Amino acid sequence: MNITNSLISFAEAQRLMPGGVSSPVRAFKAVGGTPRFIDRGDGPYIYDIDGNRYIDYVLSWGPLILGHAHPALVAALTDQISRGTSFGAPTQLEIRLAGSIREAMPCIEMIRFVNSGTEATMSAIRLARAFTGKNKMIKFAGCYHGHADMLLVEAGSGVMTLGMAASAGVTDGEVEDTITVQYNDLVGVRNAFESYAGQIAAVIVEPVAGNMGLVLPSEGFLDGLWELTREHEALLIFDEVMTGFRVALGGACAAYGIAADIVCLGKVIGGGLPVGAYGGRKDIMEQVAPLGPVYQAGTLSGNPLAMAAGVATLGELSEDTYTFLERQGARLLEGLRKIGKEYGIPLQTAQAGSMIGFFFSDVPVNDYTSARKYADTTRYARFFHAMLDRGVYLAPSQFEAGFLSIRHTDDVIDATLEAARGAMQEIAS
Ligand code: HOZ
């Protein structure tokens, strides 16, 4: 595969930007080699600047449930761009998007739009602290909630990929109120509530963990969090930046039947434009300025392009979409398991709607500790490159989830499995 132009661009980019990228997860650090510089996307495919085509399972890290350059999205953006790109004043688009979100996720009685998932979770924590009058919060190792200081403790995604336990520049003071527990460990959560009685404002969780690879909540885990937060008068914050409109039309709240107190959103609700949101119970959201005392603001919040993209994206989604996506994901994972078995390569697979994941491990992975201990990252790196060489673009880290779009049709899944057969054969030796 000729990647001359990507090689040249990467060298140039590294002179101008740390690691040559605008976000660490893009840098191929864990898998080695040269990141592809992307020229364009079309449906399930991306094309690099050397003209190579890849089936895309990253999909901008989740937002592109419609695939690249969906006509409805292109039309909505084209229309909006001619009307103006930002006003710093309210638009009806915000009402439309808020209405669509509330329809799908009724526990979001009121919502505030921001510009990223990081902003959403950071603001949700501030709100939870103000609402409860308590300071501490529980998060789970391997869950990633963006890069706000107090949440960068044993975080997943790039932090885990780079083997970092925390980030330099975060003071002890910033994280003294953050309590970290293993994902799926309800006993650990109960113990934390008992150790810090009356001090815990909230539990923040990825209801399906997609930032340490894909790890599903064990039976009763989310219900247990709900009950414990009720028992201890704390709020339950679902970080659905990744799972919202991904694992089901109503996100994990619908999939697991839990009305979280605050829900953070991003990714799909912006259709690939920068967006985030947090919302929830009206009495909680009424604490946000200008209605209440919790200050949070943003020049580009509710940006009309992002809102238009979100409205167009959600307008294309229905229950049938998720039936299709679920089927395609199951087909892909079943094929991967079968091929792995043929070549004697142990795989642990997981799926939640249109999110998929697989670990090269012969034992199940349920949390951060087991992900780090059992996932064979060296084998993943070899598989990643073997797939890339065959025109399939996976996340450049074992500790990320994969995503499907409505354009990942049977032909696309078949082509992926054909590539996987060659790749597994290559890495088996
Ligand atoms: N949550 C995304 C990956 N796990 C974030 C993408 C990024 O950090 O660039």
Side-chain angles (χ1 to χ4, degrees):
M1 179 179 281
N2 174 20
I3 58 161
T4 310
N5 289 323
S6 279
L7 278 163
I8 294 167
S9 293
F10 191 40
E12 200 179 342
Q14 286 177 94
R15 281 193 293 275
L16 295 166
M17 296 176 278
V21 290
S22 297
S23 190
V25 293
R26 303 175 192 174
F28 280 28
K29 275 276 194 189
V31 293
T34 304
R36 303 305 192 258
F37 279 64
I38 305 305
D39 176 40
R40 67 191 176 90
D42 182 14
Y45 304 113
I46 47 174
Y47 296 80
D48 70 20
I49 56 174
D50 290 285
N52 302 303
R53 188 185 82 169
Y54 307 89
I55 300 171
D56 187 9
Y57 287 95
V58 175
L59 295 172
S60 189
W61 302 93
L64 304 183
I65 198 162
L66 304 182
H68 293 272
H70 188 280
L73 193 82
V74 173
L77 286 172
T78 308
D79 176 56
Q80 183 55 44
I81 214 159
S82 63
R83 294 164 182 270
T85 54
S86 186
F87 310 118
T91 67
Q92 289 184 322
L93 286 164
E94 291 158 82
I95 305 172
R96 288 179 63 193
L97 187 57
S100 299
I101 291 170
R102 188 175 145 157
E103 198 179 319
M105 304 182 85
C107 67
I108 300 186
E109 293 172 350
M110 288 182 111
I111 194 164
R112 166 61 59 85
F113 291 110
V114 292
N115 297 291
S116 67
T118 293
E119 260 190 82
T121 55
M122 183 178 88
S123 310
I125 297 286
R126 183 183 303 147
L127 176 58
R129 285 173 167 160
F131 186 80
T132 59
K134 304 174 194 173
N135 288 345
K136 294 201 184 294
M137 61 154 158
I138 295 175
K139 81 170 282 288
F140 296 93
C143 283
Y144 177 72
H145 306 289
H147 62 89
D149 285 350
M150 73 280 195
L151 289 162
L152 275 181
V153 190
E154 287 189 84
S157 192
V159 184
M160 186 171 181
T161 295
L162 296 173
M164 300 160 79
S167 168
V170 174
T171 63
D172 292 347
E174 295 281 4
V175 293
E176 72 179 10
D177 287 323
T178 305
I179 303 156
T180 311
V181 176
Q182 286 291 320
Y183 194 72
N184 280 327
D185 178 11
L186 266 186
V187 175
V189 178
R190 181 176 292 282
N191 289 343
F193 269 116
E194 280 166 11
S195 302
Y196 298 98
Q199 298 176 61
I200 297 174
V203 174
I204 184 166
V205 65
E206 285 181 76
V208 173
N211 283 289
M212 49 177 148
L214 184 65
V215 175
L216 305 181
S218 57
E219 184 78 33
F221 176 59
L222 298 174
D223 288 318
L225 294 183
W226 168 260
E227 282 156 19
L228 282 169
T229 46
R230 296 318 91 180
E231 203 178 305
H232 294 272
E233 294 179 354
L235 300 186
L236 180 58
I237 304 175
F238 268 15
D239 177 350
E240 292 228 45
V241 169
M242 201 180 268
T243 55
F245 295 90
R246 263 279 163 210
V247 299
L249 186 59
C253 286
Y256 294 93
I258 292 178
D261 299 300
I262 304 178
V263 179
C264 300
L265 293 169
K267 297 193 191 273
V268 171
I269 65 155
L273 273 84
V275 84
Y278 62 104
R281 261 171 41 204
K282 190 162 175 277
D283 60 326
I284 300 173
M285 291 306 293
E286 280 176 346
Q287 299 302 308
V288 177
L291 217 49
V294 180
Y295 198 75
Q296 180 274 306
T299 301
L300 293 174
S301 293
N303 173 264
L305 287 175
M307 298 295 105
V311 169
T313 298
L314 299 198
E316 296 296 311
L317 302 176
S318 68
E319 294 293 350
D320 289 349
T321 313
Y322 294 87
T323 306
F324 170 78
L325 291 167
E326 182 108 28
R327 194 178 64 224
Q328 299 309 86
R331 197 155 167 262
L332 177 59
L333 290 179
E334 193 185 318
L336 286 178
R337 281 194 301 271
K338 191 162 163 266
I339 297 166
K341 209 164 177 186
E342 280 171 36
Y343 289 99
I345 296 174
L347 273 184
Q348 304 293 325
T349 62
Q351 179 181 9
S354 60
M355 289 170 69
I356 53 164
F358 55 93
F359 289 104
F360 286 103
S361 164
D362 43 19
V363 293
V365 171
N366 302 318
D367 56 24
Y368 180 77
T369 302
S370 53
R372 288 199 93 136
K373 190 164 170 194
Y374 300 122
D376 185 341
T377 51
T378 308
R379 184 166 249 174
Y380 184 86
R382 289 185 67 207
F383 184 68
F384 168 83
H385 278 291
M387 290 295 272
L388 196 65
D389 289 346
R390 290 167 175 80
V392 179
Y393 191 86
L394 301 172
S397 165
Q398 168 79 97
F399 303 124
E400 296 286 358
F403 301 96
L404 294 163
S405 80
I406 59 167
R407 303 295 299 281
H408 285 67
T409 53
D410 287 350
D411 287 356
V412 174
I413 302 293
D414 288 345
T416 307
L417 290 174
E418 195 183 320
R421 181 171 294 284
M424 294 264 196
Q425 188 175 25
E426 187 183 316
I427 67 165
S429 51

